[in-house]
Amino acid sequence: MRRRRSDELPRYSSGDLDTLSTSFRWRRRYTLYLVGILFVLYILYPRHTPDDGRTIHIDWSKYAYSLYATDSATLCHAVLVFDALAKYGSRADRVLFYPRHWDMVISDSRDRDSQLLVIARDRYKVKLEPVELLSVEGRTEDAWTGTWSKSVTKFLAFTLTPYKRVIALDSDITLLDSLDELFLLPPTPIAMPRAYWYVAKPQPLTSLLMVLQPSMVEFERFSEAIAGGANPAIVRRNRFDMELVNERFEDSALVLPHRPYALLTGEFRTSNHSAYLGNNFETWDAEKVYKEAKLVHFSDWPLPKPWIMWPQEGVAEIQPDCGGDKEAVCAERRIWKGLYKDFRERRKDICRLLSVPAPDWKKIKGGEEHKENVHAAEGTEHEAPHTEGDGLGSKKVGEEQTIVHDVA
């Protein structure tokens, strides 16, 4: 067989070689891309890893906020707190203690108590607990308001034993953020901030915020102390919830920092802020203090609480003085007035309640000399005018009522 000459053999053009080389390079590049993508996905994709004991797994159903209502006003204010907790994304349960004789049968469009209970239950997922209100024995209505006497109802939070920890709050406050981090404190029977505004040292604990471990034993102790309130000496000491809780936990409570958990509105009116700042060298900055605060308590005695209209002459005397300039608009005055305005607007929008008419300023400014007028500025047992319109949008559906929540 004749051997073929070299010029008879198949020829490959340079274009064919280039095509093969390029094809190989592209395949290799795609392979590298694919490997890179898989590696990134491996790093980013969540993988199950054994619990090393440092990972926190939180069952929020074991924690709860507790508030109480003794009358229509405190019911509304509790609902405002629940609204704030929902707004700030709190994940814990919410519990409300209220008088057993109340019901959720909305009799008419002005039946605010029943409407607000239904709103608390349906809109804010509050667990409603009808109870007999607790009251310190030995009080007289002409000297002290029934509301103050019944403030010890807050101790019912100790009965919430299905929960690991409960945050019990007063309702004459404004929440500026969630307090959920307090549920994760180290184990302790109770944690409270100090009443930093007291002159005497050490300042007592304040019961406006209590982080407690429920205990029927502790509740029984408080019940016995409350029942003993009829003792004349104790009555003269004006013993309420704050005094009771200090007698029990003064030397054993975990102390929370009042910054940011207990700021008084009155702090914006004072000229010496060393007690709140905790030192004598830090420069007071009203904006900074307001932004860091999580809980603000309304306290500007003798000026009334925010659900009561201000006597005009009282505002002129009590408001932050802006360095002596009554016409100025300083940060302190703007923040202070803003807190009251915000509370009143939320009370109107959510509860459909207007402010209680202003008391006589001359009668309430006397302080200790006019105790018979304490209730005019501090109490809640007043009839507040309702807003215009058909209540909170109630709609009858049989024995129990529901609320039309999208009220204009």
Side-chain angles (χ1 to χ4, degrees):
M1 182 177 180
R2 185 176 68 86
R3 171 184 281 182
R4 288 187 294 178
R5 299 191 306 273
S6 62
D7 59 347
E8 295 178 326
L9 295 173
R11 302 287 181 176
Y12 296 96
S13 66
S14 61
D16 293 334
L17 290 174
D18 289 342
T19 299
L20 290 172
S21 176
T22 300
S23 176
F24 175 76
R25 287 198 301 272
W26 274 106
R27 285 197 302 270
R28 184 173 62 180
R29 182 178 300 174
Y30 285 144
T31 300
L32 291 175
Y33 285 162
L34 180 60
V35 171
I37 291 173
L38 292 174
F39 178 76
V40 171
L41 291 175
Y42 174 80
I43 295 296
L44 297 180
Y45 192 82
R47 303 182 306 279
H48 174 74
T49 56
D51 190 345
D52 59 2
R54 293 175 294 179
T55 304
I56 299 177
H57 302 284
I58 302 173
D59 180 1
W60 288 104
S61 67
K62 297 297 184 181
Y63 304 98
Y65 288 90
S66 169
L67 283 99
Y68 66 97
T70 60
D71 53 32
S72 298
T74 50
L75 171 59
C76 166
H77 307 155
V79 171
L80 297 186
V81 174
F82 292 133
D83 176 76
L85 290 172
K87 173 184 175 182
Y88 297 124
S90 172
R91 290 161 286 181
D93 282 358
R94 300 152 197 168
V95 178
L96 175 67
F97 295 103
Y98 69 97
R100 190 181 301 279
H101 63 271
W102 289 2
D103 60 49
M104 285 176 281
V105 179
I106 301 174
S107 58
D108 56 53
S109 63
R110 296 178 65 82
D111 184 0
R112 291 294 191 263
D113 293 345
S114 297
Q115 291 172 338
L116 289 173
L117 286 175
V118 174
I119 280 183
R121 182 194 65 189
D122 293 351
R123 184 186 297 177
Y124 302 115
K125 311 305 178 187
V126 177
K127 297 183 178 181
L128 302 177
E129 297 287 343
V131 298
E132 295 296 333
L133 298 179
L134 302 181
S135 179
V136 177
E137 299 298 329
R139 302 299 179 194
T140 55
E141 290 300 317
D142 59 338
W144 303 98
T145 68
T147 299
W148 280 12
S149 177
K150 294 181 177 64
S151 65
V152 291
T153 299
K154 69 176 61 175
F155 293 136
L156 286 171
F158 281 98
T159 68
L160 297 174
T161 52
Y163 295 102
K164 289 182 178 179
R165 180 165 268 166
V166 171
I167 295 178
L169 296 170
D170 281 346
S171 60
D172 55 343
I173 64 171
T174 282
L175 281 184
L176 300 176
D177 203 349
S178 170
L179 306 175
D180 281 6
E181 71 277 5
L182 295 179
F183 290 116
L184 308 181
L185 290 171
T188 180
I190 198 167
M192 292 177 285
R194 291 199 179 278
Y196 72 89
W197 53 91
Y198 272 59
V199 176
K201 299 291 183 70
Q203 291 103 336
L205 303 164
T206 173
S207 56
L208 68 87
L209 165 62
M210 301 188 299
V211 186
L212 57 91
Q213 293 178 188
S215 165
M216 290 304 299
V217 173
E218 290 294 352
F219 176 72
E220 292 301 330
R221 289 196 181 108
F222 280 112
S223 296
E224 292 177 5
I226 291 168
N231 183 298
I234 296 176
V235 172
R236 286 195 296 272
R237 289 170 55 196
N238 307 325
R239 190 170 76 164
F240 295 104
D241 53 287
M242 185 167 165
E243 285 73 23
L244 291 171
V245 81
N246 272 274
E247 288 178 6
R248 171 65 186 92
F249 293 111
E250 182 179 15
D251 299 321
S252 60
L254 175 65
V255 178
L256 298 175
H258 60 264
R259 299 175 67 177
Y261 297 114
L263 171 64
L264 296 191
T265 51
E267 190 63 34
F268 295 100
R269 297 171 37 241
T270 186
S271 58
N272 184 352
H273 303 282
S274 59
Y276 180 78
L277 296 176
N279 57 73
N280 292 312
F281 53 82
E282 185 176 350
T283 301
W284 165 258
D285 184 335
E287 292 281 5
K288 177 184 176 182
V289 166
Y290 174 69
K291 289 178 181 178
E292 76 178 10
K294 289 196 167 192
L295 185 153
V296 179
H297 177 66
F298 289 97
S299 181
D300 289 287
W301 174 259
L303 205 64
K305 294 286 189 176
W307 54 88
I308 303 173
M309 293 177 66
W310 280 336
Q312 289 303 312
E313 60 269 44
V315 178
E317 290 185 29
I318 296 297
Q319 69 179 350
D321 64 4
C322 292
D325 187 348
K326 293 186 178 297
E327 303 300 323
V329 183
C330 57
E332 286 82 358
R333 185 177 297 175
R334 176 174 49 79
I335 294 170
W336 183 77
K337 286 189 172 182
L339 287 165
Y340 278 85
K341 180 181 178 182
D342 169 72
F343 186 96
R344 289 167 177 151
E345 288 181 347
R346 288 186 294 115
R347 191 171 189 266
K348 178 181 177 182
D349 293 342
I350 295 174
C351 303
R352 295 293 193 265
L353 290 175
L354 300 178
S355 297
V356 174
D360 186 333
W361 176 243
K362 292 180 180 179
K363 290 183 178 180
I364 65 174
K365 67 179 293 186
E368 289 300 309
E369 297 178 1
H370 297 82
K371 280 186 178 179
E372 68 275 9
N373 296 301
V374 167
H375 70 281
E378 293 289 322
T380 60
E381 294 181 339
H382 308 275
E383 180 64 28
H386 294 191
T387 59
E388 300 283 339
D390 185 23
L392 296 172
S394 59
K395 181 179 180 181
K396 193 167 184 177
V397 291
E399 286 301 316
E400 196 167 88
Q401 313 300 314
T402 59
I403 296 294
V404 181
H405 291 162
D406 54 346
V407 179

